[in-house]
Amino acid sequence: MKLYMALSYLISRYSIASERITTTEYSARRLIAPSDSEEGNISNRRVYVIVFEPEK
């Protein structure tokens, strides 16, 4: 859900073409904190976005 919210925000707010954005979800596969506490769960809820330069 956060991923799609972040993408929608970038596309609408900054007029970034969707084909310039790539996403990958790592949620359960690449934890940055143990998920046995609320603090750990919050740390693991993150979104990385890569925006590519338009092709010339």
Side-chain angles (χ1 to χ4, degrees), residues 1-14 16 21-23 46-51:
M1 184 70 159
K2 283 183 182 269
L3 173 65
Y4 298 111
M5 290 172 57
L7 289 177
S8 294
Y9 177 78
L10 289 171
I11 291 167
S12 64
R13 174 70 170 89
Y14 297 103
I16 296 174
I21 302 172
T22 187
T23 62
R46 63 201 186 280
V47 175
Y48 296 111
V49 178
I50 299 171
V51 180

Side-chain angles (χ1 to χ4, degrees), residues 18-41:
S18 59
E19 51 275 352
R20 290 183 53 207
I21 302 172
T22 187
T23 62
T24 303
E25 187 175 347
Y26 294 123
S27 58
R29 296 175 293 172
R30 292 194 184 172
L31 302 176
I32 59 172
S35 289
D36 56 358
S37 68
E38 183 61 25
E39 186 176 300
N41 283 329

